Amino acid sequence: MRHRKTTVKLGRPTAHKNSMLHNLATSIVLYEKVNTTQTKAKAVRSVLERAITAAKKPTLATRRNLLSIFSTKHPVNKIIEVLGPRYATRQGGYTRIVKLNNRQGDGAEKDRIELVKYET
């Protein structure tokens, strides 16, 4: 039974999965939209939503916590200076997943995950 199992394994060891999700979250923050498979899009959504929610309070502790998710300073600066104020009044739901066609080689369901354009 699958009761209370919230994490997705994605067929990888834990360290590889975490690294892949953090890299995907970095790309979404920098480019604001990324095409990926449906399972990866659903998995990275929670990482990204938590990071944007934390960035609403721009403290030094928040910056250090975000540096543990994102490996460089560029996405951390953008998420604190641009995305935090953009979604300051929004109570979650910062991402949108749009279904695309299936991948040619293996038929995997492809999606586009993007940040919602939200102006206060």
Side-chain angles (χ1 to χ4, degrees):
M1 288 184 283
R2 208 192 151 274
H3 300 303
R4 295 181 58 112
K5 295 191 181 194
T6 57
T7 59
V8 180
K9 293 189 179 183
L10 297 173
R12 293 166 171 81
T14 304
H16 184 190
K17 177 193 67 165
N18 290 338
S19 176
M20 182 199 59
L21 291 178
H22 292 171
N23 288 335
L24 191 57
T26 300
S27 296
I28 295 169
V29 167
L30 292 178
Y31 302 113
E32 298 198 5
K33 61 182 171 183
V34 170
N35 294 342
T36 184
T37 61
Q38 183 180 31
T39 311
K40 288 179 190 174
K42 288 182 179 180
V44 76
R45 178 174 46 188
S46 65
V47 173
L48 199 56
E49 299 263 343
R50 275 190 245 123
I52 293 174
T53 302
K56 288 182 179 181
K57 291 190 271 186
T59 62
L60 181 61
T62 302
R63 185 174 293 272
R64 288 178 177 165
N65 286 334
L66 290 175
L67 276 170
S68 69
I69 297 173
F70 305 106
S71 57
T72 60
K73 291 189 284 186
H74 300 295
V76 174
N77 289 339
K78 182 173 180 181
I79 203 168
I80 287 180
E81 295 169 4
V82 177
L83 299 180
R86 181 192 299 176
Y87 299 117
T89 59
R90 189 175 177 103
Q91 298 293 318
Y94 314 115
T95 57
R96 173 186 301 128
I97 296 178
V98 180
K99 294 189 184 304
L100 302 174
N101 55 353
N102 290 354
R103 193 161 50 199
Q104 177 94 29
D106 59 356
E109 296 174 345
K110 289 189 62 181
D111 288 351
R112 172 181 292 134
I113 183 166
E114 58 190 15
L115 295 175
V116 175
K117 302 293 183 205
Y118 185 72
E119 302 297 327
T120 57

